[in-house]
């Protein structure tokens, strides 16, 4: 049974910080690229950040310099540190895995709400 469980979302004022966590089970975590996506009401789901199985990171332009993605393979957990939060960061944040070996399977978490007030 595969599970990706996000936590750490909540309500924060602009300029504040949150750290999201995604705990994975049922996958070979070290062989998966891990990503965070977000989706605001009425909008498409957008890629926020990725950390590959090899430790390389990529970020959406909107969050560069403010967000940091990291992983702890001993805990099967990926994190998203979010600093200098803005109201436009308000969204449901989703964790996604992508296996790097065949078959290349992907899984999604249920999401965690982040709300940033002015």
């Amino acid at each position: 049974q595969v599970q990706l469980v996000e936590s750490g979302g909540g309500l924060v004022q602009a300029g504040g910080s949150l750290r999201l966590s995604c705990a994975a089970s049922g996958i070979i975590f070290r062989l998966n690229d891990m990503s965070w996506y977000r989706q605001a009401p009425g909008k498409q789901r957008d890629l926020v950040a990725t950390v590959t199985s090899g430790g390389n990171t990529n970020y959406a332009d909107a969050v560069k310099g403010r967000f940091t993605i990291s992983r702890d393979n001993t805990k099967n957990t990926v994190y998203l540190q979010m600093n200098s939060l803005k109201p436009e960061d308000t969204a449901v944040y989703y964790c996604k895995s992508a296996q790097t070996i065949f078959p290349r399977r992907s899984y999604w978490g249920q999401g965690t709400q982040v709300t940033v007030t002015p």
Side-chain angles (χ1 to χ4, degrees), residues 32-116:
N32 278 259
D33 297 338
M34 302 298 299
S35 296
W36 288 96
Y37 287 72
R38 66 186 183 186
Q39 187 168 26
K43 303 295 183 181
Q44 67 180 346
R45 188 172 297 185
D46 292 329
L47 177 63
V48 175
T50 297
V51 57
T52 69
S53 61
N56 295 319
T57 59
N58 290 281
Y59 299 91
D61 287 344
V63 307
K64 283 180 181 175
R66 299 188 297 121
F67 291 10
T68 303
I69 189 170
S70 61
R71 67 191 297 155
D72 186 342
N73 288 343
T74 70
K75 298 180 179 178
N76 289 353
T77 300
V78 63
Y79 305 95
L80 186 68
Q81 178 67 47
M82 305 185 294
N83 298 326
S84 302
L85 282 161
K86 305 174 180 179
E88 51 261 46
D89 296 319
T90 295
V92 177
Y93 284 71
Y94 297 91
C95 178
K96 191 195 83 172
S97 65
Q99 190 168 269
T100 60
I101 60 172
F102 185 86
R104 200 171 190 276
R105 305 184 69 175
S106 291
Y107 299 94
W108 291 87
Q110 292 297 302
T112 185
Q113 176 71 48
V114 171
T115 302
V116 185

